[in-house]
Amino acid sequence: MTSKAASKEVVEWARWLTVILLAISLSNVFAADQVVISDDGRQIRLNGDGTWVQLSQDRYATTAQGQRVRLRPDGTWAVMDPNTPQVPTTARAGFGAPTNVASDVGLLLTEVAVLKRSLQRAKTTHAEVRTVYRVRVANHTAQALDYGDLQTKLHPRSNRGARFEIVAITPSSGSIAPGQEAVIEVIAQGGPRWFGVRFLSLEVDAGALGNPVKRILAKNMDEVERRDVERF
């Protein structure tokens, strides 16, 4: 064997050895369980056997200042302190609020449902659709929280730009006493076409329900219920 051929064979063996070592390294990395954050902010554990588990309903986000925050389903958020991760600093803020802005009013979009009613007209069947948003409002202030004119300050939408007209809000008037909670039901005419729609949202204008900033409450489409009803 010539020196040129021997050198070529050594290079080939070195290349294959590198590939084998890299494969072994990667298999060791993925053999152990890992905790990752999904694209929608959920905490996921990747198991070594190829399965995965969602660890909680909490979501995570990063503020403009680079702080990591935990968004809880109950409408509160907490700064993740790297020095004391088990004892985060909590603050009262509504789910969907900018994570660097505190608020004494908690907002949580608890449910979104698309209701369809079938109507028989002559020999054809028509469908009437409405979308229902249910929002839990927690008043952490020392004063009563008036509902005000919510009809013009709440905006049901989809991520594809569709806007739904509000036909009713329950309750339509009244207030929430300090330290109390209430559920507001927003009924909108129409609904999503589903194809290509990733989430439905309810925009809350600044000044509505005692909030200093605009909030966007959202539900992914896999969390949106679809129900057939006989009447609205």
Side-chain angles (χ1 to χ4, degrees):
M1 180 182 297
T2 65
S3 59
K4 184 176 181 180
S7 177
K8 183 177 180 181
E9 185 175 351
V10 170
V11 171
E12 187 70 16
W13 273 108
R15 185 175 70 84
W16 279 109
L17 181 61
T18 301
V19 172
I20 293 172
L21 292 177
L22 179 61
I24 293 174
S25 176
L26 290 176
S27 65
N28 289 334
V29 168
F30 289 102
D33 295 349
Q34 299 181 72
V35 176
V36 299
I37 303 300
S38 65
D39 290 345
D40 63 352
R42 297 181 187 272
Q43 192 176 38
I44 304 294
R45 185 179 70 230
L46 302 179
N47 299 321
D49 60 2
T51 61
W52 62 272
V53 177
Q54 182 173 306
L55 296 181
S56 73
Q57 291 296 322
D58 294 349
R59 301 195 186 203
Y60 298 82
T62 303
T63 69
Q65 291 75 30
Q67 290 180 307
R68 290 293 291 171
V69 293
R70 181 193 296 267
L71 307 175
R72 301 191 184 96
D74 65 358
T76 62
W77 60 269
V79 176
M80 304 302 294
D81 188 342
N83 298 319
T84 55
Q86 301 302 319
V87 189
T89 302
T90 60
R92 288 170 177 165
F95 183 86
T99 54
N100 60 340
V101 177
S103 172
D104 286 328
V105 177
L107 293 183
L108 178 65
L109 185 59
T110 59
E111 180 185 359
V112 179
V114 177
L115 310 181
K116 184 177 73 172
R117 181 178 68 161
S118 298
L119 302 174
Q120 192 71 31
R121 294 177 181 172
K123 296 182 179 181
T124 61
T125 301
H126 299 269
E128 184 178 358
V129 178
R130 291 187 179 179
T131 304
V132 179
Y133 298 76
R134 289 188 176 89
V135 181
R136 192 173 75 216
V137 184
N139 183 7
H140 300 297
T141 70
Q143 299 179 350
L145 180 65
D146 292 329
Y147 290 128
D149 183 18
L150 294 180
Q151 188 83 18
T152 61
K153 295 180 179 179
L154 302 181
H155 310 283
R157 296 176 178 172
S158 78
N159 71 289
R160 293 183 64 85
R163 302 187 179 191
F164 312 120
E165 181 182 357
I166 295 177
V167 296
I169 297 179
T170 305
S172 58
S173 62
S175 61
I176 305 174
Q180 299 299 311
E181 295 185 357
V183 175
I184 295 177
E185 184 177 83
V186 180
I187 303 176
Q189 186 70 39
R193 296 184 177 275
W194 297 96
F195 179 76
V197 178
R198 294 187 292 108
F199 61 85
L200 297 180
S201 64
L202 182 68
E203 294 187 11
V204 182
D205 286 347
L209 298 171
N211 292 289
V213 296
K214 181 176 79 172
R215 299 191 186 185
I216 301 177
L217 313 177
K219 281 283 188 187
N220 291 333
M221 291 305 293
D222 58 357
E223 299 175 299
V224 174
E225 295 186 36
R226 287 187 284 186
R227 296 200 295 264
D228 293 325
V229 296
E230 294 184 357
R231 61 180 180 275
F232 293 133

